[in-house]
Amino acid sequence: MNIRRTTKGRTVMTAVAITTGLVLTVAGCGGGGDDGASDKKTSSSSPAKNDDGDDDKQESQAPPAKETLAEVKAGGLTLAVTSAVRDDGGFVTVEGTVTNGSGKPWVAADWRGDESELAKNGGSIAGASLVDQTGKKKYLVLRDTEGRCLCTRFTGGVLSGATTEWFAQFPAPPEDTTKVSFQVGSMPPAAVELSEGE
């Protein structure tokens, strides 16, 4: 009985000692006015990482605004195209934002396209297209074998005054095509320059 108490007593004392050591360590790292504490804090992580981390924090708090390649408006909606990039896989990914200024929730009903297969996507940007004026070809949004578009679905719609991001993927036009028109629903066509993926 005495040995068990002693063992438990030692365990408790060890736990208290470890806990006390951790508290003191944390308190020591907490900073203060003395130069030694700030030197330890700096040496615990490399200055380069701290500098980069600060930059990353600033960027994450205020991400740089994406360049708008094209912007069109209709029916209280503002559609902006911020990126149109050729990817290695032989397709083009177009990205942007839509802002609902209509004064009521918007469900993208006329953006999902007329094809019965596209109805499975619900409110989406599945009815979008790219038009190559030079090659006189129209490219529809890519879809999988079940008819689901490789594009954004606006689940629940977009509330009035809200802005949401979207994307859509298309087959890539020929390499010499550098400019296309992006069109969806009743929005006017938006002329965009294609860029090469990195």
Side-chain angles (χ1 to χ4, degrees):
M1 294 293 286
N2 289 341
I3 292 173
R4 286 182 183 170
R5 284 182 186 159
T6 303
T7 303
K8 285 183 181 176
R10 284 183 184 161
T11 303
V12 170
M13 288 175 64
T14 303
V16 169
I18 290 171
T19 305
T20 304
L22 289 173
V23 170
L24 291 175
T25 302
V26 171
C29 291
D34 103 36
D35 293 333
S38 63
D39 288 343
K40 286 180 185 175
K41 188 175 179 184
T42 304
S43 64
S44 67
S45 61
S46 71
K49 286 184 181 178
N50 280 345
D51 291 341
D52 290 345
D54 290 343
D55 290 341
D56 289 344
K57 283 180 185 175
Q58 289 172 359
E59 286 175 11
S60 64
Q61 289 171 0
K66 291 182 179 178
E67 180 186 355
T68 300
L69 303 178
E71 184 177 279
V72 291
K73 299 181 180 185
L77 300 175
T78 301
L79 176 127
V81 178
T82 57
S83 174
V85 180
R86 284 181 186 275
D87 294 304
D88 291 336
F91 54 89
V92 171
T93 302
V94 183
E95 298 177 341
T97 60
V98 59
T99 301
N100 179 9
S102 67
K104 57 187 178 182
W106 173 74
V107 294
D110 68 333
W111 283 26
R112 65 182 174 197
D114 297 329
E115 297 174 57
S116 58
E117 181 183 45
L118 297 177
K120 299 173 187 176
N121 294 289
S124 67
I125 198 165
S129 62
L130 288 183
V131 177
D132 173 6
Q133 300 287 352
T134 306
K136 303 193 182 310
K137 286 188 178 179
K138 182 176 184 177
Y139 298 90
L140 303 179
V141 173
L142 292 169
R143 54 197 89 162
D144 65 18
T145 54
E146 296 179 9
R148 288 178 301 215
C149 71
L150 300 182
C151 68
T152 298
R153 292 178 204 127
F154 301 105
T155 306
V158 180
L159 297 177
S160 178
T163 297
T164 191
E165 295 182 341
W166 58 264
F167 83 95
Q169 292 185 326
F170 303 87
E175 288 292 329
D176 58 348
T177 299
T178 58
K179 195 169 185 177
V180 293
S181 291
F182 176 85
Q183 208 273 324
V184 63
S186 58
M187 303 298 288
V192 294
E193 296 277 349
L194 296 179
S195 60
E196 298 295 327
E198 294 180 2

